[in-house]
């Protein structure tokens, strides 16, 4: 499946899956129909750069003659959040952290930084702000704060929630944390086989169905060549176009920059002309399991 959909790679680690208490890493991909699938699994002795490098090198070997990932998403250390969960400021911390990473503009980001710093200082936790600023925001803000990530291709993926969902899916198969590595591998294979069937159905759906509310002249060249999920995003953007025209607001171009789909102003430019297929990112045009060649 990854050779068919190599554009997105999401990585995260979970625990309590095996008798050795070794971390379990899942590598997850996403299809053009917005379905998650397991690419690979790795049981590692310790979370170190060398072990992740080894795993990624093995992954790279799976993509001979195929496109390499264009978007790689992973979590940073969650130690601070876990420590805050044990305190009386967790609710405020969670709220302001979400507001901060969702900042739509750089000016709002600066304002939200000031608000979060003031909140933590008011609770006597200024050292927590220094940790966030020095270890997360200064080096990594461009990689996870909305006002930066929406200006680059991400196909709508901002977090590793899909991988966390795969963790939960696998653990439904596991009988507790005391599994042998053989049994973990067998259960992982069961998960992959079930995903293959479900994803195949969604791809077939996009190849043969045309939904009633997609039957606009604008979308005619996209029918059965672009995923229904992507066409639905374009249809939603048309609704946004009406709002922009009514209010006089400007298009933020984010559907185009972040997802590779025509944004509101481009749809307005097309008007009733059929959108050419070449203006849809190849990711959304992939509707089968054949390898995605370079």
């Amino acid at each position: 499946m990854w050779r068919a959909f190599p554009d997105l790679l999401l990585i995260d680690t979970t625990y309590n899956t095996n008798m050795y208490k070794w971390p379990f890493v899942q590598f997850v991909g996403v299809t053009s129909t917005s379905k998650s699938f397991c690419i690979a699994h790795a049981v590692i002795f310790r979370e170190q750069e060398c072990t992740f490098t080894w795993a990624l090198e093995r992954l790279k070997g799976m993509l001979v003659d195929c496109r390499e990932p264009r978007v790689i998403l992973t979590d940073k250390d969650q130690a601070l959040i876990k420590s805050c969960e044990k305190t009386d400021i967790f609710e405020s911390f969670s709220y302001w952290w979400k507001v901060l990473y969702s900042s739509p503009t750089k000016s709002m980001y600066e304002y939200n930084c000031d608000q979060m710093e003031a909140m933590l200082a008011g609770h006597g936790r200024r050292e927590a702000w220094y940790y966030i600023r020095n270890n997360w925001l200064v080096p990594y803000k461009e990689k996870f704060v909305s006002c930066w990530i929406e200006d680059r291709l991400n196909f709508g993926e901002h977090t590793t929630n899909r991988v966390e969902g795969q963790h939960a899916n696998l653990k439904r198969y596991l009988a507790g944390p005391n599994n042998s590595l053989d049994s973990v591998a067998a259960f992982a294979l069961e998960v992959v086989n079930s995903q293959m069937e479900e994803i195949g159905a969604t791809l077939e759906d996009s190849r043969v169905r045309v939904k009633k509310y997609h039957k606009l002249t604008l979308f005619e060249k996209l029918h059965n060549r672009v995923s229904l999920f992507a066409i639905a995003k374009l249809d939603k953007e048309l609704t946004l176009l009406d709002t922009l025209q009514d209010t006089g607001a400007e298009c933020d171009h984010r559907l185009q920059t972040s997802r590779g789909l025509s944004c509101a102003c481009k749809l307005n430019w097309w008007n009733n002309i059929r959108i050419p297929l070449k203006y849809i990112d190849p990711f959304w045009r992939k509707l089968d399991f054949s390898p995605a060649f370079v």
Side-chain angles (χ1 to χ4, degrees):
M1 281 189 285
W2 197 35
R3 285 175 61 80
F5 299 98
D7 300 85
L8 267 163
L9 173 62
L10 292 78
I11 309 168
D12 197 23
T13 305
T14 190
Y15 306 89
N16 300 320
T17 64
N18 60 84
M19 64 177 66
Y20 306 103
K21 304 188 185 303
W22 290 347
F24 184 80
V25 187
Q26 284 193 286
F27 301 89
V28 170
V30 183
T31 70
S32 60
T33 54
S34 194
K35 292 295 182 182
S36 308
F37 63 91
C38 295
I39 296 170
H41 308 84
V43 178
I44 58 177
F45 177 66
R46 189 175 291 119
E47 291 187 86
Q48 293 178 318
E49 181 178 347
C50 60
T51 55
F52 284 112
T53 299
W54 169 83
L56 289 169
E57 287 294 330
R58 304 286 79 72
L59 281 178
K60 187 176 180 180
M62 297 165 60
L63 292 179
V64 177
D65 296 328
C66 290
R67 286 198 303 269
E68 293 192 358
R70 290 188 282 164
V71 178
I72 299 176
L73 185 61
T74 187
D75 264 350
K76 199 175 181 294
D77 177 37
Q78 297 288 313
L80 176 65
I81 293 177
K82 289 179 180 177
S83 68
C84 286
E85 286 178 349
K86 302 174 183 178
T87 74
D88 59 357
I89 68 164
F90 179 60
E91 186 173 343
S92 294
F93 176 87
S94 297
Y95 170 78
W96 280 110
W97 181 243
K98 183 176 181 179
V99 168
L100 184 60
Y101 72 66
S102 301
S103 301
T105 64
K106 293 177 184 179
S107 58
M108 281 300 300
Y109 166 77
E110 296 295 341
Y111 172 81
N112 291 331
C113 280
D114 292 341
Q115 294 298 305
M116 189 170 190
E117 179 180 11
M119 181 277 294
L120 289 169
H123 285 86
R125 297 295 300 275
R126 189 176 291 276
E127 76 285 353
W129 169 251
Y130 294 144
Y131 177 91
I132 293 169
R133 184 190 65 191
N134 297 334
N135 292 277
W136 289 61
L137 300 179
V138 172
Y140 299 113
K141 63 181 182 294
E142 291 88 355
K143 299 183 184 298
F144 71 92
V145 178
S146 289
C147 59
W148 280 282
I149 63 173
E150 291 296 347
D151 286 334
R152 63 187 69 174
L153 194 65
N154 57 54
F155 300 114
E157 301 301 323
H158 307 152
T159 70
T160 56
N161 287 347
R162 285 182 182 269
V163 195
E164 291 163 12
Q166 292 301 317
H167 294 336
N169 191 24
L170 176 66
K171 287 181 178 180
R172 281 194 289 270
Y173 285 78
L174 299 176
N178 298 316
N179 302 281
S180 68
L181 298 186
D182 283 345
S183 62
V184 172
F187 287 130
L189 183 59
E190 286 187 48
V191 172
V192 171
N193 288 336
S194 67
Q195 290 173 344
M196 193 88 172
E197 183 177 347
E198 179 187 357
I199 289 170
T202 66
L203 295 173
E204 175 71 11
D205 210 28
S206 288
R207 289 197 300 268
V208 301
R209 286 188 61 197
V210 177
K211 294 190 176 182
K212 289 182 179 179
Y213 58 91
H214 293 168
K215 291 183 178 180
L216 299 173
T217 302
L218 197 65
F219 299 148
E220 282 185 2
K221 289 189 176 181
L222 311 185
H223 294 159
N224 309 132
R225 297 180 177 181
V226 173
S227 76
L228 293 174
F229 179 85
I231 297 176
K233 289 294 179 185
L234 291 168
D235 189 64
K236 185 176 180 180
E237 193 76 355
L238 281 177
T239 304
L240 175 62
L241 175 58
D242 293 336
T243 302
L244 293 177
Q245 291 174 336
D246 290 342
T247 61
E250 293 185 359
C251 175
D252 61 14
H253 313 298
R254 288 188 171 178
L255 193 67
Q256 184 167 328
T257 57
S258 67
R259 291 182 185 257
L261 295 167
S262 296
C263 57
C265 63
K266 183 61 70 71
L267 292 175
N268 185 46
W269 185 78
W270 290 120
N271 199 358
N272 285 322
I273 303 172
R274 296 170 180 84
I275 300 175
L277 199 60
K278 67 180 181 180
Y279 287 95
I280 304 297
D281 190 276
F283 175 76
W284 305 111
R285 291 186 263 143
K286 192 72 172 65
L287 299 178
D288 57 44
F289 287 128
S290 64
F293 294 113
V294 178

